[in-house]
Amino acid sequence: MKKLNKALLMLVVLMTVSTSTVATAAITTSHAGHGGVDPGAVSGQYREADIARMINNKIIAKTGTFDATDNSAVSVNDNLSKIVRNVKLRSSNGSDWNISNHLNSASPQATGVEVFYYGGDLVAKAKAEQISAAISRTLGIPNRGAKDGSGLYVIRNTPGHSLLIEWSFISNPNDMIKLLGNMDQAVNEVIKLFGYGVTEPTVPTAPTKVNMQRATIKNLSPHSASVLKTRFIQEFGPQGKNIVSEEDITINYRDGGSSAIVMVNNVSEGVANWLRSIWTIQYVNGEKLIDDSSVYVEPTIDPVYDVEFKGLNLNDARNIRNELRRDFGSAGVRYMQNHEFIVDGSGQVVIKNISYPNARELVRQFQDDYAINRKLLPVDNIQGVKH
């Protein structure tokens, strides 16, 4: 009789799980893993803590749920205990949903998404399977499925249904391109599984050659600018919404390379203002990456640039200046004639007063010649700087 009762109980549990495949329970807390002194996994220009915060900030902005992220940890253990403490500020019972956002890393290289849950929690397991499948489908990466995460500190020590999402492999460049290029869509698919509605912004009409504008984000770190440029290429370039060419998404560096500006150039006024509005929602109000004054729109009608070579020794700077005078400075060269070629004592060559289209063409040509082929300086040390 006891065995029969146990079997009936298990059947009821399984029926409950199967009828809860699209749960409407809201997310109680969400957080980004790592933080403080702990960057998590690091691969090239990417740090797990940074990418996890991009994902988590989108979840927070779209759902209004409680952010249990910790940014003050002085050790890995301190980070874990503070996250658990933050989760418990809002989560206290078995029906709560708590999300932990991470990225995987592996050597040799691996790929895909997987979601961890507390073993024995069949409701959480079903949800983990749904989430893993949704992210896999949206990003186009393998579905590694739901995994027993009972041994993970945060899952083991937080109440309710706790899920740890490994969104992709930070150690796999292809995974990162797909994640950064489709992050909004993937987050949307995940929060839909918790009953949240998602309203996609309407893309304005394609740009024309009349009244061309530029949408700009300033006051970024070089790392943040590089990450955003990659995301914008995937989202707004030919493989995404096809608003601009890849070459129209550029970075300019300031203050000796310590500050950067990301620009989406040569778009219509409507597109530029649309970009400004969604960036304000995402990066000002959501991720709090910048303040409101850092997002703006400006005309792109013949702005004037300097083309700069930075970080050269003085001898190389003088040699490059002489080469530029010889190859580009004579009458008849359409974008370099009658321009100044200035060398300062720090080993910097400056070509003054170049139009934006010509500056872009020159920078690309000079990067190929002096940086990639001759290896005289890093690629990013050749750039166009707006007056």
Side-chain angles (χ1 to χ4, degrees):
M1 190 67 179
K2 287 183 179 179
K3 288 185 178 179
L4 179 60
N5 288 342
K6 186 175 181 180
L8 287 172
L9 179 60
M10 182 58 71
L11 178 62
V12 170
V13 170
L14 290 174
M15 289 176 64
T16 301
V17 171
S18 65
T19 57
S20 303
T21 54
V22 185
T24 56
I27 300 170
T28 309
T29 73
S30 179
H31 69 265
H34 308 283
V37 299
D38 175 21
V42 178
S43 181
Q45 63 180 311
Y46 301 119
R47 302 186 335 149
E48 181 182 0
D50 297 337
I51 307 300
R53 277 155 179 74
M54 288 184 184
I55 296 167
N56 185 66
N57 288 337
K58 288 180 183 293
I59 294 173
I60 301 302
K62 292 171 183 288
T63 66
T65 194
F66 179 72
D67 186 359
T69 302
D70 168 61
N71 295 310
S72 63
V74 296
S75 69
V76 173
N77 288 339
D78 185 44
N79 175 250
L80 292 172
S81 64
K82 286 178 176 176
I83 287 173
V84 169
R85 175 203 64 191
N86 293 346
V87 171
K88 288 181 177 179
L89 290 174
R90 289 296 178 90
S91 178
S92 60
N93 65 67
S95 63
D96 291 339
W97 286 98
N98 301 301
I99 308 297
S100 181
N101 298 288
H102 288 257
L103 284 89
N104 237 328
S105 182
S107 180
Q109 195 174 90
T111 179
V113 52
E114 57 194 14
V115 182
F116 291 86
Y117 65 96
Y118 189 79
D121 184 349
L122 298 182
V123 175
K125 180 181 181 182
K127 185 64 68 181
E129 289 171 346
Q130 286 184 317
I131 292 171
S132 190
I135 296 172
S136 169
R137 182 176 61 252
T138 306
L139 299 187
I141 60 178
N143 178 11
R144 300 165 68 95
K147 302 289 180 67
D148 186 341
S150 302
L152 299 175
Y153 183 89
V154 170
I155 288 181
R156 189 173 70 247
N157 289 281
T158 49
H161 307 299
S162 292
L163 301 173
L164 188 149
I165 306 174
E166 299 278 8
W167 286 77
S168 65
F169 278 80
I170 197 171
S171 52
N172 187 318
N174 190 53
D175 273 24
M176 291 307 299
I177 289 172
K178 291 180 176 180
L179 175 62
L180 293 173
N182 300 281
M183 189 180 291
D184 268 308
Q185 299 93 313
V187 168
N188 287 346
E189 292 305 309
V190 170
I191 66 175
K192 284 178 186 178
L193 297 173
F194 294 90
Y196 294 95
V198 175
T199 303
E200 295 289 355
T202 302
V203 179
T205 56
T208 67
K209 294 299 180 183
V210 179
N211 192 24
M212 302 303 286
Q213 302 281 309
R214 168 192 297 122
T216 302
I217 305 178
K218 66 179 181 178
N219 299 329
L220 295 165
S221 70
H223 171 74
S224 295
S226 178
V227 170
L228 290 182
K229 179 182 177 182
T230 301
R231 290 171 64 177
F232 293 166
I233 288 171
Q234 293 296 318
E235 187 170 355
F236 307 125
Q239 303 306 313
K241 293 182 173 64
N242 199 23
I243 293 173
V244 290
S245 68
E246 183 172 332
E247 291 79 10
D248 282 323
I249 303 172
T250 59
I251 298 176
N252 273 352
Y253 295 92
R254 302 290 197 197
D255 303 323
S258 63
S259 176
I261 301 172
V262 176
M263 300 179 292
V264 178
N265 303 286
N266 298 323
V267 295
S268 70
E269 185 175 5
V271 171
N273 287 322
W274 171 73
L275 289 171
R276 179 175 61 182
S277 66
I278 63 173
W279 290 347
T280 299
I281 293 170
Q282 182 165 338
Y283 303 122
V284 178
N285 301 330
E287 298 184 19
K288 295 181 172 55
L289 180 66
I290 47 176
D291 60 38
D292 187 61
S293 65
S294 294
V295 183
Y296 59 96
V297 170
E298 62 182 353
T300 58
I301 301 173
D302 292 325
V304 179
Y305 276 73
D306 292 343
V307 174
E308 299 179 353
F309 293 69
K310 296 182 177 181
L312 292 160
N313 64 55
L314 191 55
N315 187 58
D316 282 344
R318 288 170 176 162
N319 288 338
I320 287 175
R321 177 195 58 188
N322 292 336
E323 290 179 12
L324 296 175
R325 282 176 172 167
R326 180 195 67 210
D327 296 334
F328 296 96
S330 60
V333 179
R334 64 187 175 90
Y335 40 67
M336 294 289 291
Q337 58 186 358
N338 303 320
H339 286 295
E340 297 179 90
F341 301 82
I342 300 170
V343 174
D344 67 21
S346 65
Q348 177 169 302
V349 179
V350 181
I351 309 165
K352 305 288 289 184
N353 302 324
I354 309 293
S355 70
Y356 169 73
N358 293 337
R360 183 173 66 181
E361 185 174 344
L362 285 170
V363 167
R364 186 186 305 115
Q365 180 176 344
F366 292 158
Q367 287 177 340
D368 286 342
D369 185 10
Y370 293 101
I372 296 172
N373 295 331
R374 295 167 63 180
K375 296 181 172 55
L376 294 180
L377 71 172
V379 168
D380 288 342
N381 281 25
I382 304 175
Q383 58 195 243
V385 179
K386 185 175 179 292
H387 281 207

